[in-house]
Amino acid sequence: MNFIYTFAVFVVLAYIVQVILGLRQLKHFNRVYARLRKKGRVAIGRNSGRIKAGTIVMFAIDEEGKVLEGQKMQGVTVMAKFKSMPAYLGQDIHYFDHYNPLVRQENKLLQLAIEDARDVFLKTEAGVYHDAPRTSPFSDLGLRARLLLGHLKKHSQ
């Protein structure tokens, strides 16, 4: 019985530490975003990692679409911080696709986040962007379970 209480306390403490570190990371994100926003429009791209590292990129963009500053955050834990991307200064965001030599030098997850930032920027510039929430792999778990049960019943008859 003593082990259960000790384990429960450990789980609660681990959760509290994760919440605190998550809030610190969110505060860091907001500070970097506010600093970039003072320079101009901000294009944000993301590539959410499930098992792999999640990636966020932010580019401060001038009126012609040139990058004034770029920041990236990539990591699996809440300890990840934003890092500068000086190679992208002065580059045109309209050309940040998988053919761009700068983008091709990055790892695959960062490439996808950069291309997402470009796509969101282009859609926003055209006035056709609508933020659609991305679904979780567990969002349709009930539907999948019902389909599986129906499939099993069909084959058992």
Side-chain angles (χ1 to χ4, degrees):
M1 194 67 144
N2 193 14
F3 172 74
I4 293 174
Y5 290 128
T6 305
F7 182 71
V9 168
F10 175 74
V11 168
V12 169
L13 287 176
Y15 181 75
I16 291 170
V17 168
Q18 181 179 356
V19 167
I20 291 169
L21 292 175
L23 290 173
R24 281 187 55 202
Q25 188 179 46
L26 184 61
K27 185 177 178 182
H28 179 64
F29 174 90
N30 287 334
R31 268 188 274 129
V32 171
Y33 176 76
R35 184 171 43 93
L36 293 177
R37 187 70 184 103
K38 288 178 183 175
K39 293 183 177 192
R41 297 180 292 172
V42 178
I44 301 176
R46 61 188 175 171
N47 182 28
S48 55
R50 296 194 182 20
I51 296 176
K52 299 177 184 175
T55 307
I56 298 174
V57 295
M58 291 193 285
F59 295 107
I61 309 294
D62 67 7
E63 294 301 318
E64 289 84 39
K66 304 283 186 201
V67 175
L68 301 171
E69 184 180 347
Q71 295 282 324
K72 68 178 177 182
M73 179 171 45
Q74 189 169 25
V76 179
T77 68
V78 292
M79 300 302 283
K81 299 282 186 199
F82 276 98
K83 296 180 177 107
S84 182
M85 300 172 69
Y88 292 89
L89 295 179
Q91 300 292 319
D92 193 337
I93 194 169
H94 295 96
Y95 300 108
F96 286 179
D97 57 13
H98 60 276
Y99 298 112
N100 187 307
L102 277 176
V103 176
R104 291 180 81 149
Q105 291 176 358
E106 306 292 354
N107 65 54
K108 187 66 175 172
L109 299 172
L110 190 54
Q111 287 178 17
L112 293 172
I114 292 170
E115 290 178 19
D116 183 52
R118 174 189 176 261
D119 292 343
V120 170
F121 176 78
L122 292 175
K123 288 177 183 174
T124 303
E125 195 174 47
V128 295
Y129 178 72
H130 301 286
D131 189 20
R134 297 182 181 181
T135 60
S136 162
F138 302 109
S139 63
D140 60 348
L141 199 56
L143 176 62
R144 289 179 187 228
R146 286 193 301 268
L147 288 173
L148 180 63
L149 287 174
H151 183 72
L152 291 174
K153 284 182 184 178
K154 181 179 174 185
H155 284 296
S156 66
Q157 294 176 353

